[in-house]
Amino acid sequence: MTASAHMQAPDTDPGYNFAYLDEATKRMIRRTLLKAIAIPGHQIPFGAREMPLPYGWGTGGIQVTASILGPDDTLKVIDQGADDTTNAVSIRRFFHRVAGVRTTTRTAEATIIQTRHRIPERPLTEGQVMVFQVPMPEPLFKLEPRLAETRRLHALGDYSLAQVKLYEDIARQGEGGSSYSHPVMVNHRYLMSPSPIPGFDNPKLHMSPALMLFGAGREKKIYAVPPYTSVVSLDFDDHPFRPVRAPHACAACGSTTSYLDEIVTDDRGGRMFVCSDTDHCAENQMARKAAE
Amino acid sequence: MYVAVKGGDAAIAAAHAWLAEQRRGDTALPELSAAQVAEQLGLAVDRVMAEGSCHDRELAALAIKQARGDLIEAAFLLRAYRNTLTRFPAAEPVDTGAMRVRRRISATYKDMPGGQVLGPTFDYTHRLLDFALLAEGEAPTPPEESEATGAPMPRVSDILAQEGLMRREPPGDDAPPPDLTRDPLPFPAPRALRLQSLARGDEGFLLGLGYSTQRGYGNAHPFVAELRMGEVEVLITPPELGFPISLGEITVTECQMVNQFAGQADTPPQFTRGYGLSLGHSERKAMAMALVDRALMARDLGEEVTAPAQDHEFVLLHADNVEATGFVEHLKLPHHVDFQSELEKLRSIRARWEAARNGVAEAAE
Amino acid sequence: MKTGFTDPVLDAQAGFRALMQAMARPGRVQQVIPPPELPAGLEAAAAATILTLADAETPLWTDAGEEARAWITFHTGAPLVAEPASAMLLLNTGATMPALATLHAGEDETPQDGATLIRQVTGLAEGSGWRLTGPGIEREHHLAVMGVPGDFPAQWRANAARFPRGVDVVLCAGGRLAALPRSVALREGG
């Protein structure tokens, strides 16, 4: 599959409004996005609509993307870091069909990157917007399932529940318990779920030049991290947060710094490790070939 | 050299072609039409309309056909379609008192004005497989008197209200009711939104919750004051006309369940009402909804909230099967990035654990 | 009645992206696609902002003249309110600005309900004037604004002090706009 295959048919499906959502819905989401940007890390309820894709499969991210997307944009969609995973393909096809928008697999070319569970390895730029698909926006939900209560705790800035949990994890097992969805403090005020990205990606949120938007469709919440905003993973001074990756080199491009997928190669314990970010891996391989 | 798995596009297209083939089944058999589904699987259509929040028998039948009979998938198809429709002014409240009744029963009175009308019901059938239905071509003989008498049928709850024994509903204001499909649910949720949520909620989930209130999880003593099913007129008042015009009739099922309430210092002992209303003919749904509606009133009535069915967030956030099925089934999506970090985390914790245990073992030697 | 956006779908999208960039990068000035016709008293950026954000769900207060009010009602359906404190959107075109402290600032649990004030000013320039810091700004942005009350910086400090409650401001001059989200800190001079 190549990026150009998606760029040949700019016509949109005439049965639907540009980018699927009706204009009243887009306005409601846009107003919510502006407030989300003005209050970094604060979850804002919004009237999420039923989308033609199931809840839990990116409906929040899709509604955010549909509300910001324009004809000048170039869209990249990744799932688990890869452009060619089936759900990423499905969402990219959806936007190609209803918005006729240019799509790409190249991180460098994209103006909007919708993602599930990863942030690209290539540093983002000021011209880019990340849209995260979020299954559970509430960072405290495992500790307190009642939304009326967590809303109160956020208002008070009372995050002692999360700190106690982290403390207990460290006391019991020597380190924090969460390997992905590790909560972050945004602009020193709100505790926020970074979505189920691996902890490895958390530092990429801090002072990023790109705008980060988060959409949770089923839970009907939108939140945002503006560019150049402090984002600190929850930790303790004597147990600082450590982003973790598999201690190997990518079998395809040789990278020793990228986040790796573990591939089971046989039933005798054979393993190999390759980049989860397929575009980054392809770029590395090209560069290596050019150097040879 | 490792080459990543590719070809998502082609795989999706092939999977969907296969799905279409499976849906059609054996082509030696005649294809099922949406009209046949609407006529002969009418209760499935009713359920899909109720949970899909859209009254359109033909589209609901199409959704059932397209979904291969998976009713939750069909409700989802109908919801997604509904969401793209232009919204007209809100309808006037339907008057179920003026319903053209096909079925109407009360468990609280032996007889009442208008009488008991059994109507088309599974009640009192013997659940014996009817092998005659395996043979085709038989048209059942219509009953001798298929219509109700036409006598007025006041709602049983109104009869109780006349005696002052029924709790008065707090007066509504003139503000248009909040709309669940446009704004997210606030908690605690006002009753209008609770009823909207329950009306589109999953029948099975509400059935289980309603059942739990009968078994001691929520302290209910319910009676079916009335269950009625039939046709009601839907009216809208276009702002440019200023008077209501009829859009046509829809079938609804309404259940009013009465429960005793002990009262409080400033409130006399009285009956309270649990209310259920469902699109189409769906008694189980309307009854379960009425039970859960009453349970959810615990907070408003100052009763102790102890049971799952009384908990607004627990009930309302988990009753929607389109949301629930999406999130449960999303576990099928790849999660290998999260799982990889989970693997590394477990390996790290395991290494610490083993080091600690070895340390203890060495110290003991 | 003067027309609204030439392309209501795509021009609103472009208007929103300008607002989103402005809100995400406080002090950076953005350009809008102007509506082809403007009612008396409204300039392009303020008009485009209203067409982009307002509808029947946004109670709107404005001090603009009759023609502009009729134009807003016709194109957006926004209910006009008499009290600035009950508005979600405020379009302020006159010499007097409603005091920020009097506008709805949201509650601790719902700070997103804080109002958005769209203020038409006479000039906007990057590189000098107020020194802005906070989310969206790598080090410091400079923004010169002509046509706001002299005590605006003091009002802004009071607004920022009640974060996360507060009011967000969109400053419009001709076809250009810049935004001040409540999270931004503003100092004079430099």
Side-chain angles (χ1 to χ4, degrees):
Chain A
M1 186 186 54
T2 63
S4 62
H6 291 285
M7 293 160 66
Q8 285 162 358
D11 302 320
T12 61
D13 192 322
Y16 293 98
N17 190 27
F18 177 81
Y20 183 77
L21 295 176
D22 62 279
E23 291 303 300
T25 300
K26 285 186 200 166
R27 264 194 306 277
M28 176 269 295
I29 293 175
R30 287 168 180 167
R31 289 193 297 261
T32 308
L33 284 170
L34 293 183
K35 292 298 172 192
I37 293 166
I39 315 169
H42 169 58
Q43 303 167 55
I44 304 183
F46 80 110
R49 307 294 195 241
E50 260 97 16
M51 299 300 286
L53 279 78
Y55 283 120
W57 300 52
T59 54
I62 290 170
Q63 289 180 79
V64 169
T65 298
S67 300
I68 69 174
L69 190 69
D72 298 335
D73 280 311
T74 303
L75 177 68
K76 172 181 165 85
V77 183
I78 52 173
D79 188 333
Q80 314 292 302
D83 301 87
D84 51 15
T85 37
T86 39
N87 202 45
V89 170
S90 162
I91 292 171
R92 191 163 51 237
R93 279 170 25 150
F94 174 74
F95 279 114
H96 184 62
R97 178 172 173 190
V98 298
V101 70
R102 273 191 306 278
T103 60
T104 183
T105 58
R106 307 281 303 274
T107 300
E109 291 172 1
T111 56
I112 298 175
I113 302 172
Q114 179 167 329
T115 180
R116 181 170 166 263
H117 298 193
R118 274 310 313 272
I119 298 174
E121 306 289 359
R122 169 188 267 275
L124 301 170
T125 64
E126 289 200 354
Q128 296 180 311
V129 180
M130 288 289 299
V131 178
F132 293 77
Q133 301 172 201
V134 182
M136 281 306 280
E138 177 50 65
L140 300 170
F141 86 95
K142 285 182 185 161
L143 309 168
E144 172 52 74
R146 290 169 298 171
L147 297 178
E149 181 61 15
T150 54
R151 199 175 64 174
R152 195 180 69 83
L153 294 175
H154 284 294
L156 295 170
D158 178 353
Y159 299 125
S160 50
L161 277 177
Q163 281 152 344
V164 167
K165 168 74 166 58
L166 184 61
Y167 178 83
E168 288 174 350
D169 283 349
I170 292 171
R172 198 178 66 245
Q173 60 194 27
E175 55 189 275
S178 58
S179 54
Y180 60 95
S181 285
H182 186 84
V184 291
M185 280 299 287
V186 178
N187 195 29
H188 315 289
R189 174 59 183 82
Y190 282 105
L191 191 72
M192 184 190 94
S193 166
S195 87
I197 56 173
F200 177 83
D201 283 342
N202 276 18
K204 296 176 185 167
L205 291 164
H206 179 64
M207 295 302 277
S208 170
L211 171 62
M212 311 276 183
L213 305 176
F214 297 78
R218 189 179 41 77
E219 296 286 332
K220 303 178 176 57
K221 297 277 169 56
I222 281 174
Y223 53 100
V225 177
Y228 304 117
T229 298
S230 164
V231 178
V232 181
S233 300
L234 194 69
D235 66 358
F236 292 113
D237 290 342
D238 53 347
H239 277 89
F241 175 79
R242 275 187 316 119
V244 177
R245 66 185 285 278
H248 300 276
C250 171
C253 76
S255 170
T256 53
T257 54
S258 68
Y259 191 77
L260 300 174
D261 289 341
E262 183 169 332
I263 314 280
V264 177
T265 52
D266 55 43
D267 57 4
R268 298 178 305 278
R271 296 279 190 279
M272 102 193 303
F273 292 83
V274 290
C275 291
S276 120
D277 182 336
T278 47
D279 174 60
H280 177 72
C281 194
E283 271 193 347
N284 282 350
Q285 292 179 49
M286 295 263 282
R288 214 155 70 156
K289 237 177 233 160
E292 275 166 11
Chain B
M1 175 70 192
Y2 172 77
V3 180
V5 185
K6 286 192 189 290
D9 256 324
I12 291 174
H16 293 175
W18 196 352
L19 173 70
E21 190 191 356
Q22 294 264 300
R23 179 187 57 70
R24 177 59 183 89
D26 184 352
T27 52
L29 295 172
E31 185 181 349
L32 190 62
S33 72
Q36 285 171 321
V37 173
E39 284 300 312
Q40 298 175 38
L41 297 176
L43 296 184
V45 168
D46 287 345
R47 180 170 178 183
V48 168
M49 291 196 306
E51 290 168 11
S53 290
C54 181
H55 193 286
D56 189 315
R57 298 195 71 80
E58 185 184 16
L59 291 181
L62 167 63
I64 291 169
K65 175 176 172 173
Q66 185 179 332
R68 303 178 62 201
D70 179 335
L71 300 188
I72 293 181
E73 178 72 18
F76 178 21
L77 284 168
L78 203 55
R79 286 248 197 119
Y81 173 76
R82 171 196 199 277
N83 192 38
T84 65
L85 300 177
T86 310
R87 293 167 70 83
F88 291 111
E92 302 293 325
V94 296
D95 181 4
T96 51
M99 176 187 285
R100 208 150 53 74
V101 165
R102 278 193 281 154
R103 171 163 162 77
R104 185 256 201 148
I105 53 164
S106 169
T108 51
Y109 292 99
K110 186 172 184 199
D111 200 5
M112 63 278 180
Q116 309 259 14
V117 180
L118 210 48
T121 176
F122 290 123
D123 297 351
Y124 316 113
T125 62
H126 297 147
R127 269 62 173 204
L128 302 169
L129 278 175
D130 181 358
F131 295 105
L133 289 176
L134 277 176
E136 290 165 40
E138 281 293 303
T141 339
E144 280 180 14
E145 189 189 4
S146 60
E147 285 290 318
T149 55
M153 289 189 188
R155 282 176 291 216
V156 172
S157 55
D158 293 342
I159 298 171
L160 280 169
Q162 276 166 8
E163 206 182 328
L165 290 178
M166 182 65 96
R167 178 175 180 261
R168 285 186 184 283
E169 305 299 338
D173 50 29
D174 288 337
D179 185 344
L180 178 72
T181 68
R182 309 306 277 183
D183 299 303
L185 270 173
F187 289 104
R191 190 160 179 221
L193 283 177
R194 300 200 303 254
L195 291 170
Q196 287 174 38
S197 171
L198 297 176
R200 56 171 18 202
D202 182 72
E203 182 173 315
F205 182 76
L206 296 186
L207 177 66
L209 279 177
Y211 179 44
S212 73
T213 68
Q214 293 178 278
R215 292 195 63 264
Y217 291 87
N219 198 31
H221 307 281
F223 294 92
V224 173
E226 185 175 358
L227 181 67
R228 57 168 62 197
M229 180 277 291
E231 280 64 48
V232 293
E233 199 170 23
V234 177
L235 303 167
I236 61 162
T237 305
E240 62 272 24
L241 289 183
F243 55 86
I245 56 169
S246 175
L247 287 183
E249 286 188 332
I250 61 171
T251 304
V252 297
T253 308
E254 180 186 62
C255 178
Q256 306 229 30
M257 200 76 89
V258 293
N259 290 261
Q260 210 188 102
F261 171 54
Q264 287 163 322
D266 53 348
T267 331
Q270 56 190 318
F271 289 121
T272 53
R273 169 183 8 210
Y275 186 78
L277 184 76
S278 185
L279 290 182
H281 186 186
S282 185
E283 296 178 17
R284 188 186 299 119
K285 169 68 177 282
M287 292 175 71
M289 176 176 168
L291 290 174
V292 177
D293 172 48
R294 175 58 186 83
L296 290 174
M297 286 162 64
R299 186 195 165 92
D300 301 342
L301 294 172
E303 296 171 336
E304 202 184 350
V305 174
T306 54
Q310 297 169 321
D311 183 320
H312 287 194
E313 291 203 25
F314 182 81
V315 173
L316 302 177
L317 286 178
H318 302 111
D320 189 302
N321 57 22
V322 175
E323 290 177 3
T325 199
F327 200 49
V328 167
E329 294 200 47
H330 109 285
L331 294 172
K332 292 183 285 192
L333 290 177
H335 282 80
H336 53 255
V337 161
D338 331 9
F339 188 68
Q340 185 63 38
S341 57
E342 200 81 344
L343 268 178
E344 296 300 335
K345 171 65 73 179
L346 185 60
R347 284 169 181 153
S348 160
I349 297 171
R350 175 71 81 93
R352 281 179 199 275
W353 182 82
E354 273 163 9
R357 198 177 62 157
N358 291 342
V360 171
E362 277 164 27
E365 275 166 16
Chain C
M1 181 61 62
K2 302 241 167 70
T3 58
F5 277 137
T6 311
D7 185 327
V9 174
L10 298 184
D11 291 357
Q13 186 274 334
F16 171 69
R17 284 294 278 275
L19 283 165
M20 185 175 88
Q21 284 300 322
M23 204 58 89
R25 301 173 197 282
R28 292 267 177 88
V29 177
Q30 312 291 329
Q31 198 81 35
V32 302
I33 298 178
E37 299 179 317
L38 294 168
L42 280 198
E43 295 174 12
T49 300
I50 289 296
L51 290 178
T52 300
L53 296 182
D55 61 23
E57 292 173 21
T58 56
L60 187 143
W61 174 91
T62 184
D63 58 359
E66 269 316 306
E67 187 191 352
R69 298 166 73 87
W71 182 85
I72 291 167
T73 308
F74 180 81
H75 287 293
T76 70
L80 297 180
V81 296
E83 286 301 317
S86 39
M88 190 167 154
L89 294 175
L90 298 100
L91 173 61
N92 174 214
T93 61
T96 321
M97 190 186 90
L100 297 182
T102 63
L103 307 183
H104 189 48
E107 303 298 335
D108 287 338
E109 293 189 4
T110 52
Q112 67 272 16
D113 293 345
T116 305
L117 170 67
I118 301 149
R119 162 82 187 167
Q120 215 161 256
V121 298
T122 49
L124 280 175
E126 289 182 19
S128 64
W130 296 338
R131 297 157 64 191
L132 306 178
T133 52
I137 300 167
E138 188 175 12
R139 289 184 189 83
E140 191 170 74
H141 285 172
H142 296 249
L143 182 69
V145 181
M146 278 64 80
V148 286
D151 69 344
F152 187 91
Q155 287 198 40
W156 186 260
R157 274 192 292 278
N159 184 57
R162 54 187 174 171
F163 187 90
R165 298 172 68 238
V167 173
D168 307 304
V169 174
V170 178
L171 302 162
C172 300
R176 303 158 72 238
L177 61 84
L180 296 175
R182 66 191 79 176
S183 57
V184 80
L186 183 161
R187 280 174 302 161
E188 286 173 276

